[in-house]
Amino acid sequence: MYDKDNIFAKILRGDAPSTKIFEDDFALAFQNIAPRAKTHVLVVPKGEYTDIYDFSANAPAELQAGFWAAVRKTVDILGLRDNFRTVANTGAGAGQSVFHFHVHIMSDERFKTDF
Ligand code: AMP
């Protein structure tokens, strides 16, 4: 079940700070507070969805399209057109720690050599 007091909900409401990269009616992109790569940005939809499964099953088509367009626009702002990785951890067992759906956009020289 969605917890309205999760940290990303607070950021979307303006109740917690973030370093914004991009925002529109559908999504907000901001810097990860604890980056695991040289570039590490999070994109969150403006809707109450716990994870990618919930979002893809239940978000209106307009929000889904707007969210993925926001991911693309964030990539363009970061200048990463052909050099980034996306991750959407789903469930605590897979490393999800904030239960508001988000996509990690990461880029790092190290990615050339690991999986
Ligand atoms: P996940 O583990 O996939 O749920 O990712 C959650 C991510 O949110 C982690 O990489 C955290 O570093 C990041 N994070 C947690 N709190 C904040 C915050 N206040 N601002 C920005 N990023 C955050």
Side-chain angles (χ1 to χ4, degrees):
M1 197 167 84
Y2 186 85
D3 171 11
K4 290 175 185 291
D5 282 329
N6 75 74
I7 184 62
F8 294 168
K10 288 180 180 171
I11 288 172
L12 284 170
R13 285 200 297 271
D15 291 344
S18 70
T19 303
K20 189 193 302 185
I21 304 291
F22 174 80
E23 182 171 19
D24 65 9
D25 289 345
F26 305 106
L28 172 68
F30 52 93
Q31 298 284 3
N32 193 316
I33 202 168
R36 300 284 300 272
K38 188 175 164 202
T39 300
H40 194 164
V41 169
L42 302 168
V43 190
V44 305
K46 293 188 175 179
E48 297 180 350
Y49 305 96
T50 55
D51 55 36
I52 196 170
Y53 190 103
D54 182 21
F55 183 73
S56 61
N58 299 313
E62 185 188 24
L63 177 57
Q64 297 203 32
F67 173 75
W68 292 112
V71 170
R72 187 189 72 246
K73 290 170 188 173
T74 301
V75 165
D76 286 342
I77 289 166
L78 296 169
L80 296 176
R81 168 63 181 84
D82 59 359
N83 184 22
F84 68 97
R85 180 178 290 176
T86 51
V87 170
N89 296 319
T90 306
Q96 187 176 5
S97 60
V98 179
F99 291 84
H100 179 115
F101 170 48
H102 53 281
V103 166
H104 299 246
I105 296 173
M106 294 177 284
S107 187
D108 200 297
E109 285 297 307
R110 291 176 295 147
F111 292 171
K112 286 182 181 167
T113 53
D114 68 17
F115 79 104

